[in-house]
Amino acid sequence: MSDCLNQALVFPFEVLRYESDFTYRISDDECHFISFSYAFTQISSGLIIAGITTDQHMSLIMGRQLDTMVGNRRIYVFALFAMWAVAALVSSIHLIFGESEIFYPGSWCFIGVSSEDFGSSASALVYSLTGILTLIYTVSLHLYIMCRSHRDPELCGHLVDTDRITGYYDIHVNIFLMTSVTFYVLCWGPFLVSIS
């Protein structure tokens, strides 16, 4: 949902830039909006993947007790909104203390990472450290889950959702998380390190 909303809101500005044969210039307000949107999407996606990994860890520990908890759906909704709130806070710091920067070919903006002023440097550092810590947490916890469930078949059974017809829900979750974490680290990690 975060990625889809980002593309729906930001794509028109990129189309205007390309359709005008690069004569249309993104305004400062538009640049701030685009930079917030991109930063928010990246951080919230990372936090959501971390949340899915945390949920899998809780499922590994608590098993079926997790499904019978009162207000379980409300907990998930609250956690999702809390992750979005953290992502919004981290993604808006540069709008208050730093600046947004237009990047080549002038069709997108992001947190000002090449600026020398303290506000931009600090906001880029907070953004990159939040992302790096999220990646480290997710990768570490996911590796721990895989090792622990692989060594103990009984614990692995906790990850199976018995309500699913296939009975292989745990494999799908592991494949999704492994793919997400791997590509997220490979694609986003170097960028976070370079702007910190």
Side-chain angles (χ1 to χ4, degrees), residues 56-87:
Q56 192 180 28
H57 182 251
M58 295 296 292
S59 179
L60 185 72
I61 294 170
M62 298 178 69
R64 299 299 292 173
Q65 295 172 1
L66 190 64
D67 293 335
T68 58
M69 284 173 58
V70 177
N72 197 14
R73 287 190 186 274
R74 273 181 262 158
I75 293 169
Y76 285 118
V77 171
F78 175 77
L80 180 62
F81 278 99
M83 287 184 268
W84 279 339
V86 169

Side-chain angles (χ1 to χ4, degrees), residues 89 92-99:
L89 178 68
S92 60
I93 293 173
H94 75 283
L95 301 177
I96 302 165
F97 301 109
E99 59 185 35

Side-chain angles (χ1 to χ4, degrees), residues 43-156:
I43 287 287
S44 65
S45 294
L47 290 173
I48 288 169
I49 292 172
I52 293 170
T53 308
T54 303
D55 178 60
Q56 192 180 28
H57 182 251
M58 295 296 292
S59 179
L60 185 72
I61 294 170
M62 298 178 69
R64 299 299 292 173
Q65 295 172 1
L66 190 64
D67 293 335
T68 58
M69 284 173 58
V70 177
N72 197 14
R73 287 190 186 274
R74 273 181 262 158
I75 293 169
Y76 285 118
V77 171
F78 175 77
L80 180 62
F81 278 99
M83 287 184 268
W84 279 339
V86 169
L89 178 68
V90 170
S91 303
S92 60
I93 293 173
H94 75 283
L95 301 177
I96 302 165
F97 301 109
E99 59 185 35
S100 300
E101 187 176 340
I102 297 176
F103 289 91
Y104 179 84
S107 60
W108 67 288
C109 298
F110 199 69
I111 297 169
V113 295
S114 62
S115 179
E116 296 296 323
D117 69 279
F118 176 76
S120 294
S121 299
S123 61
L125 184 64
V126 168
Y127 176 81
S128 65
L129 287 179
T130 303
I132 289 169
L133 291 174
T134 301
L135 288 177
I136 290 170
Y137 169 81
T138 306
V139 169
S140 303
L141 187 59
H142 187 66
L143 290 174
Y144 170 75
I145 290 168
M146 290 183 62
C147 291
R148 188 161 178 214
S149 63
H150 181 70
R151 283 187 313 205
D152 191 344
E154 186 179 332
L155 285 176
C156 191

